[in-house]
Amino acid sequence: MTSLAMQYLKSMAMPVLNLATRRYVAGERVADAVDLAARAHYDGLGCTLCYWNDGTEDPQSVSSQYMSIVSAIGQHGLDGTLALKIPALWDREDEVARVVEAARQAGTHVMFDAHAADQSDVTLTYLERLGGQGLGLAIPGRWRRSLRDADRAIEAGAAIRVVKGQWPDPDAPGMDLREGYLTVIRHLAGRARFVSVATHDAPLAAQAMEILADAGTPFEQEFVFPLPIAAARREGARFGAAARLYIPYGEAWLPYSLKRALRNPRTFYWIARDMLGGDKLDLPPLPASTLGR
């Protein structure tokens, strides 16, 4: 594709992409995420806040956003966790340690998000060096290595968030997502310090929570904004499970980055589909008495 054609496509695509990504992030600023977190709190949900970088920022810029999240959680008295993406910090251990130390000083938990399978060793190494105090690790159910990763996280004393996972295992791309998820849950039951059941799949969430409850393992649910949560949350209510909402903000290069869209024309179909319809989480507005505080 010529440079001129690329510029032409960008000029047409950017307004559409910007409009579409507004459905998937709270906004561009941490204040936008905090506003949404306040509505979630009013609806009985904690929050996990994450800055979605655009893939080009230097580590210091991204860590500054993470610091802003830590500050905002404390300032607004939120039941909040920081979701940290180590690749967004260019795997810089000094920047990871700086953010973790600030979060620990503020009493804010940090959850290391999951990425591709080959990133896991770096993430686990930093987790082990930092110690598990106030830290957590997201573990996908779709990797063969996940049980070994879980053992290392348990040994470090970290909390664990179980997800289906975005990136497939290169050695087992056809792994059944639901069975893989439950395999990890069974491995954690009775052993993990704390587990976040992160899925919108209500029957799967129910099975996972039953396994953990039977083993006496503390757990909560976590949901990603803006997907609907009612069905899975009802399952959690049967166990008295707390729940939190994962709220991203920023440029949102996932799931609709311009580069990916230009490489894959089907992306524009997905964008149009999502813009024209589909289920979305609908949080209640804050009562007038809480506004302006």
Side-chain angles (χ1 to χ4, degrees):
M1 181 179 293
T2 68
S3 175
L4 182 61
M6 178 70 76
Q7 290 300 319
Y8 178 70
L9 280 174
K10 284 184 178 180
S11 67
M12 292 195 311
M14 280 306 297
V16 177
L17 290 167
N18 286 335
L19 178 60
T21 55
R22 291 194 190 105
R23 288 178 56 91
Y24 293 90
V25 294
E28 296 181 358
R29 306 168 301 138
V30 67
D32 299 318
V34 168
D35 287 346
L36 185 58
R39 292 172 59 196
H41 175 79
Y42 182 67
D43 198 38
L45 294 160
C47 66
T48 296
L49 304 184
C50 185
Y51 174 62
W52 275 6
N53 65 305
D54 66 4
T56 64
E57 294 136 298
D58 60 75
Q60 292 80 11
S61 297
V62 177
S63 64
S64 293
Q65 291 288 340
Y66 290 157
M67 294 290 197
S68 295
I69 290 174
V70 171
S71 177
I73 287 172
Q75 179 183 349
H76 295 274
L78 298 173
D79 172 13
T81 293
L82 164 67
L84 187 150
K85 297 179 178 295
I86 289 179
L89 297 175
W90 298 5
D91 291 352
R92 285 272 300 273
E93 187 173 5
D94 58 333
E95 291 295 334
V96 175
R98 188 166 74 92
V99 174
V100 167
E101 178 58 27
R104 283 174 168 167
Q105 291 293 327
T108 298
H109 288 184
V110 178
M111 177 65 67
F112 291 157
D113 274 349
H115 295 275
D118 59 8
Q119 172 67 32
S120 294
D121 284 324
V122 172
T123 301
L124 280 158
T125 296
Y126 292 176
L127 175 65
E128 290 164 342
R129 288 175 181 171
L130 291 166
Q133 176 193 349
L135 298 183
L137 176 68
I139 294 183
R142 66 189 304 176
W143 297 345
R144 286 180 175 173
R145 64 170 294 154
S146 289
L147 301 187
R148 298 193 305 274
D149 291 349
D151 287 338
R152 291 175 65 179
I154 290 169
E155 181 65 24
I160 297 174
R161 179 211 286 154
V162 184
V163 298
K164 285 183 177 177
Q166 178 183 355
W167 286 272
D169 186 329
D171 298 322
M175 182 180 292
D176 183 273
L177 299 186
R178 300 181 84 255
E179 185 52 42
Y181 192 100
L182 292 175
T183 297
V184 173
I185 290 290
R186 294 186 188 101
H187 193 72
L188 298 175
R191 302 177 63 227
R193 177 174 64 81
F194 189 83
V195 176
S196 292
V197 178
T199 178
H200 293 252
D201 182 334
L204 180 62
Q207 287 181 269
M209 289 185 286
E210 185 172 0
I211 292 167
L212 295 169
D214 287 347
T217 302
F219 61 89
E220 68 178 8
Q221 292 182 277
E222 184 166 280
F223 306 109
V224 178
F225 174 82
L227 301 179
I229 70 174
R233 197 176 180 190
R234 282 194 297 271
E235 296 294 345
R238 296 195 295 110
F239 298 93
R244 66 181 58 250
L245 188 65
Y246 184 108
I247 302 173
Y249 76 95
E251 295 298 322
W253 65 278
L254 285 172
Y256 295 134
S257 74
L258 178 60
K259 184 182 294 185
R260 291 186 179 195
L262 293 176
R263 283 204 307 260
N264 184 1
R266 288 181 300 173
T267 301
F268 291 101
Y269 162 74
W270 297 330
I271 291 172
R273 179 198 63 191
D274 288 353
M275 289 175 63
L276 293 174
D279 292 330
K280 182 181 177 184
L281 172 66
D282 186 23
L283 289 171
L286 288 173
S289 61
T290 67
L291 298 178
R293 290 186 178 179

